[in-house]
Amino acid sequence: MKHLLSLFVALSSVPALAQRVPLVTPAEKAASASIEPNVLRAHVRFLAHDLLEGRGPGTRGDALGQAYIAAQFEALGLEPAGADGTYFQPFELVSVTGHPQTLSVRAPSGVEELKFHEDFIAVSGVQEAESRLDASELVFVGYGIQAPEYAWDDFKGMDLRGKTLLILNNDPEDDPNLFAGRTRLWYGRWDYKYEQAAKVGAAGAIILHTTASAGYPWQVVQSSWTGEQFELPAASGPRLQVKAWMTEAATRRVVQMAGADLETLIASARSRDFRPVPLGVTVATRFANEVRRRPTANVLAMLPGSDAKWGGEVVLYSAHHDHLGRKEGGKPGEDVIYNGALDNAAGVSGMLAVAKAFRALPQPPRRSILFAAVAAEEQGLLGSQYLAEHPPVPPGRVAANINIDGANIHGRTRDITVIGLGKSNLDGVITALAKTQGRVVKADQLSDRGFFYRSDQFNFARRGIPAAYFGSGMDFVGRPEGWGRQRRETWEAQHYHQPSDELRPEWDWSGAVEDVRLFFLLGAHVARDPELPRWNKGDEFEAARLAALEALKAPRTPPSSEGASK
């Protein structure tokens, strides 16, 4: 009875809270009207222009993009939130350009030289002049996962020091009660797998690529993992010599050289009883690296909150400003610039439009708003990692992160996708806001791709900050069923991380306008809600949030009644 009474009291307080904190104020609704197609299009037109040469990290185009964003922040009257009274948070990247040619596979049956780019892609795992594997034994380690909460350990204590690990992409998905079924978790991401391989002392790691398991075709690996690669300066800890991907066809040949069957190995990896399988073959490669230091920067601006006591807390908007730069080895007359119009000039444009809407309010919101255009996302979420490690305010004072990566450029939808739906109590506000637009919220409609762990909100979530991240809806107004998914799949197959990601006159910005208006209204609501957003109980990031709040070591002071929403 006591528990039932507590539940009744909690539920009965919801209407009162909703009345005290309206979903949308008249001022916010009016300000959201400033978000228009021409505003979004204009920023993309500049940031994705050929003159910026793809905004590769540490390039002149990267610096031009940063300068443009800072100028827009200044024009809006936002305060600098970077270093030394500027809008810039500079940091250094280590650039490593490797030159692998072949991967030699030696078995009792013979030797095969796998071809770089066609059969495999490899990058250096060390920030040194040379990377090498010297007759390193190849061991199949299934999914390469250690997850105590699922009683899962693919390594089983085997000594893997100096070995090269062959690893499946994704995580086991047959059991809906194990690893969230088809929803990809952090355990299914390539960066997790390389990290785990290094922890067990491996010399190299090779991930088996399939379009289904990666969520993108081999050409994306070729474009994203060749040429200059970037990292933050190496901290102490274990490092792989070589990080690689291999095509399914090449992997099948290698496994056959070992006298094994790939399908049988994959099937065995789906069980908790799986044990690593030494394949009886060795791999070898050696290649020189060009190692350089390159400067880049996050671009940060603040709209100070209007409440004297709440102003120290912030709502963080983020969008990455970088892309892939120029394509190496282009043929004469070939387009070699990765313009990154949708990914992610469009996201930066959306964030700038949100900033404009906040400035259109008659007074700033009660909490402060921090805008962060972060660098080097395409190189492994490096700018957001640096920002999360060097935040202008403690993580416990960041109410929420709203990350914008991409845009809907195909028209209005009846739905909007919330990637990570079910992880935090932001879901309720998002659902209510979507309803005011006549739309419904849907969970990630491509949940097997692991999108929550593939953009900048992940680094903030790891520090405990509740994060909202969105994908375009797929139920398009005036279009037949399945049209939206088909457009999405066509884009990924033909334009994702390709030079063809350019601003096009046929793009329909009406859906992007509705989405960006929702992003603005969500942040505005969080900026005046007395309750801080929270991860749902038991979520993977809940403990980090509780630790961040505890680290503040001082109780939050309730806001004054002055400056309430009007």
Side-chain angles (χ1 to χ4, degrees):
M1 180 64 71
K2 181 178 179 181
H3 294 300
L4 288 174
L5 180 60
S6 298
L7 178 61
F8 173 77
V9 170
L11 291 175
S12 64
S13 68
V14 172
L17 180 60
Q19 290 178 358
R20 184 156 53 91
V21 184
L23 184 65
V24 178
T25 68
E28 291 163 0
K29 184 176 181 180
S32 71
S34 69
I35 300 170
E36 298 177 319
N38 62 309
V39 174
L40 298 175
R41 188 187 304 110
H43 293 309
V44 174
R45 190 176 303 282
F46 181 86
L47 289 169
H49 198 282
D50 280 357
L51 290 172
L52 276 72
E53 298 187 317
R55 309 186 306 281
T59 64
R60 182 172 181 269
D62 181 27
L64 285 171
Q66 296 168 34
Y68 177 82
I69 296 164
Q72 296 301 314
F73 284 155
E74 184 175 8
L76 289 169
L78 301 175
E79 294 187 358
D84 303 321
T86 74
Y87 291 98
F88 304 103
Q89 183 186 46
F91 61 99
E92 194 169 58
L93 295 170
V94 176
S95 155
V96 182
T97 306
H99 301 280
Q101 299 296 321
T102 62
L103 182 69
S104 178
V105 183
R106 183 176 296 274
S109 59
V111 178
E112 180 171 356
E113 301 291 333
L114 299 182
K115 298 178 181 178
F116 179 74
H117 203 262
E118 179 180 332
D119 296 319
F120 77 101
I121 296 292
V123 300
S124 176
V126 292
Q127 297 173 5
E128 299 172 2
E130 183 182 72
S131 297
R132 58 191 296 172
L133 297 174
D134 294 322
S136 174
E137 183 181 7
L138 189 64
V139 180
F140 177 68
V141 294
Y143 292 95
I145 293 172
Q146 289 180 305
E149 70 273 28
Y150 292 111
W152 192 281
D153 180 4
D154 280 328
F155 300 122
K156 299 295 191 296
M158 179 178 286
D159 184 358
L160 296 169
R161 289 174 295 180
K163 314 294 186 185
T164 294
L165 310 186
L166 178 61
I167 310 173
L168 298 176
N169 208 352
N170 210 337
D171 46 44
E173 60 183 24
D174 291 343
D175 185 348
N177 298 313
L178 184 65
F179 294 105
R182 288 186 59 80
T183 298
R184 184 178 310 210
L185 303 180
W186 169 233
Y187 296 120
R189 294 283 297 139
W190 54 262
D191 35 2
Y192 168 84
K193 296 174 188 296
Y194 289 140
E195 184 178 299
Q196 289 302 111
K199 284 181 179 178
V200 298
I206 302 171
I207 295 176
L208 164 60
H209 173 273
T210 66
T211 298
S213 67
Y216 40 76
W218 180 247
Q219 68 187 33
V220 174
V221 179
Q222 292 172 318
S223 61
S224 303
W225 289 80
T226 52
E228 200 171 19
Q229 301 292 303
F230 295 88
E231 297 181 336
L232 296 177
S236 59
R239 307 273 297 184
L240 296 171
Q241 279 286 317
V242 174
K243 299 186 287 188
W245 292 80
M246 190 181 292
T247 67
E248 184 176 10
T251 305
R252 195 174 302 279
R253 298 200 305 271
V254 169
V255 169
Q256 287 175 347
M257 290 176 68
D261 176 73
L262 183 59
E263 278 69 28
T264 301
L265 289 174
I266 292 173
S268 70
R270 298 184 181 124
S271 168
R272 280 192 177 94
D273 297 330
F274 170 82
R275 300 186 67 82
V277 181
L279 293 175
V281 303
T282 62
V283 293
T285 189
R286 179 182 298 182
F287 52 90
N289 298 315
E290 298 173 25
V291 183
R292 292 182 287 182
R293 300 271 174 155
R294 287 191 178 274
T296 190
N298 298 324
V299 189
L300 310 180
M302 185 83 76
L303 176 63
S306 59
D307 188 280
K309 295 179 179 177
W310 265 9
E313 295 175 347
V314 304
V315 177
L316 168 63
Y317 282 90
S318 58
H320 73 89
H321 63 68
D322 65 293
H323 199 55
L324 299 176
R326 295 177 62 92
K327 181 179 180 179
E328 289 193 344
K331 301 175 183 177
E334 181 183 1
D335 184 1
V336 296
I337 296 175
Y338 294 101
N339 300 86
L342 188 61
D343 182 16
N344 186 39
V348 174
S349 175
M351 185 176 68
L352 291 173
V354 166
K356 180 181 179 183
F358 272 108
R359 292 298 289 154
L361 292 171
Q363 69 173 19
R366 305 179 77 176
R367 288 189 176 94
S368 297
I369 312 295
L370 175 62
F371 299 97
V374 295
E377 188 265 2
E378 302 291 6
Q379 301 293 331
L381 317 184
L382 301 181
S384 58
Q385 178 184 339
Y386 188 87
L387 177 58
E389 293 173 353
H390 305 85
V393 298
R397 297 199 186 281
V398 182
N401 168 231
I402 301 169
N403 185 49
I404 310 176
D405 195 347
N408 170 14
I409 43 83
H410 300 304
R412 296 182 59 240
T413 61
R414 300 180 184 89
D415 59 344
I416 187 167
T417 300
V418 175
I419 297 170
L421 188 71
K423 297 183 72 63
S424 81
N425 68 342
L426 289 168
D427 294 347
V429 179
I430 296 169
T431 300
L433 288 171
K435 187 175 181 180
T436 68
Q437 296 180 328
R439 299 200 289 170
V440 297
V441 165
K442 293 182 181 177
D444 188 355
Q445 299 178 67
L446 299 169
S447 62
D448 59 321
R449 312 291 175 85
F451 286 125
F452 193 87
Y453 309 94
R454 288 171 57 176
S455 194
D456 292 304
Q457 76 288 330
F458 178 48
N459 278 324
F460 304 122
R462 295 179 85 173
R463 271 73 181 178
I465 299 167
Y469 179 45
F470 299 85
S472 300
M474 291 194 184
D475 183 8
F476 282 81
V477 176
R479 300 292 186 176
E481 183 178 354
W483 185 87
R485 180 177 288 270
Q486 182 270 327
R487 297 292 289 182
R488 174 63 178 266
E489 291 174 351
T490 298
W491 176 268
E492 289 188 350
Q494 298 180 4
H495 306 299
Y496 175 58
H497 282 195
Q498 300 303 312
S500 55
D501 179 6
E502 298 178 302
L503 178 63
R504 298 172 182 270
E506 67 268 22
W507 283 6
D508 182 345
W509 291 91
S510 58
V513 165
E514 284 194 323
D515 288 353
V516 175
R517 286 177 178 176
L518 188 149
F519 305 159
F520 161 66
L521 295 173
L522 173 61
H525 183 91
V526 172
R528 56 181 166 74
D529 191 334
E531 298 298 323
L532 285 172
R534 63 181 183 278
W535 296 106
N536 291 337
K537 188 171 179 59
D539 186 81
E540 60 189 308
F541 304 116
E542 181 192 26
R545 182 58 166 179
L546 296 176
L549 294 173
E550 179 66 23
L552 298 177
K553 298 183 183 298
R556 291 177 60 246
T557 304
S560 63
S561 59
E562 299 177 1
S565 301
K566 297 179 181 178

